[in-house]
Amino acid sequence: MNDERFPKPERVVIVGAGHASAQLCASLRQDGWEGRILLIGDEPSLPYQRPPLSKTYLHGTTTLDDLLIRKPDFYAKEGVDFRQGRVVGIDREAGTVDLADGESVRYDELVLCLGARPRRLDLPGADLDGIHYLRDAADIGGIREDTATARHAVIIGAGYIGLETAASLRKLGIEVTVIEVADRVLQRVTAPEVSAFYDRVHREEGVDIRVGAGVTGLEGRDGRVTGVRLSDGELVPAELVIVGVGVVPNVELAEAAGLPVDNGVVIDAYGRTSDPHVFAAGDCASYHDTRYGRRLRLESVPNAMEQAKSVAAAICGGQKEIAALPWFWSDQYDLKLQIAGLNAGYDEIVLRGDPADGRGFACFYFAQGRLIAADCVNRAQEFMFSKRAIAQGLVPDRGLLADLETPLKSLLEAQPAG
């Protein structure tokens, strides 16, 4: 799209170096972009995979080079310039971004892949050494140093990040206590039956789980954390504390530039903001999802990559609507949880397998008779079935869906919802 400011687009500037950025670089070239591409990241590394950080990277079995989404020769071959720097401002009228070192960089098309940051604790003692958040490789580096001497770890927050980290620390032989203010683990994202399954598995693996437990402060000695004080007065010993209480989208740059923000940088179905030359993708972006009928901001690798593909198409003059079914995964111990769709607003569940026994089952979520999501633990076939059935709007028979003897293939012949 051309106007007086940008008579002939020549340079795409990408701010942020994560999964969306790496995919965007590839998709731009695949879609025919022949101009310059500048990738600006505030970390020294090229874009790398984030999910393995709390697992293999924490264990020391992979390096940051192993986790690179694309190797350096890809960026060289595709003519992508990478620059480490921190963008502190956007001048949309001039078509420039301002860097912390004082330089201004011109853009013709700008893509904000700003990600999100961990929500910080606002409690006494929250600044003690030994308290960590988990978002990037530097965070894991600090945690890894402390695991060398820590015997007891406390994880605040029993969401996916907290439970994944608990599993990793147990593998390292560290005693782990998980503290969750809600009444059950994963309360915000799963049915009670799924929560009970993960509660059971973690307890079997030796994790001390405290639900319905508030934290009033963190205590230490000589500047280093020694324990976490609970609302009932108990002090839980800890030489290592990891906080996983959610994330906050990085929207400040966009907001200061006058772009609309609503739980993320507001984008349309093609990744474009209110400014036709500014796009956003990934954890920092929110869009209206027609399937679920509401505005969404998704924190997942597949979402970041799909949005990046839509942005690349739009920049190159095409149209690729953001319409892929949301899906996620979580690895804990020998369990691979694969999630299809979003379960918010469900009014019924169907279980295939028994979550109270064993290490595998599927939980299907329905809303007003329509299948909207599924949690599949060590059940790859159920996951693939769910993605297809939800995307096609099928209405599988509940009884047959629960029956382990019924082939899933036969249920794909169900009629779509009216």
Side-chain angles (χ1 to χ4, degrees), residues 369-408:
R370 184 169 61 96
L371 179 64
I372 59 171
D375 294 337
C376 306
V377 181
N378 289 345
R379 293 296 180 89
Q381 289 187 354
E382 280 83 349
F383 172 65
M384 297 305 296
F385 161 83
S386 300
K387 288 182 68 176
R388 182 172 172 184
I390 297 168
Q392 295 181 4
L394 302 182
V395 184
D397 180 276
R398 315 285 204 286
L400 295 177
L401 188 59
D403 181 12
L404 290 171
E405 300 302 318
T406 299
L408 290 169

Side-chain angles (χ1 to χ4, degrees), residues 326-337:
W327 64 276
F328 316 82
W329 78 88
S330 175
D331 294 317
Q332 302 170 41
Y333 307 113
D334 60 331
L335 309 174
K336 176 170 282 296
L337 168 63

Side-chain angles (χ1 to χ4, degrees), residues 11-14 36-40 80-83 105:
R11 176 193 274 177
V12 173
V13 172
I14 305 168
R36 297 180 63 186
I37 301 174
L38 174 62
L39 174 59
I40 303 174
V80 177
D81 297 321
F82 172 74
R83 173 169 178 173
V105 176

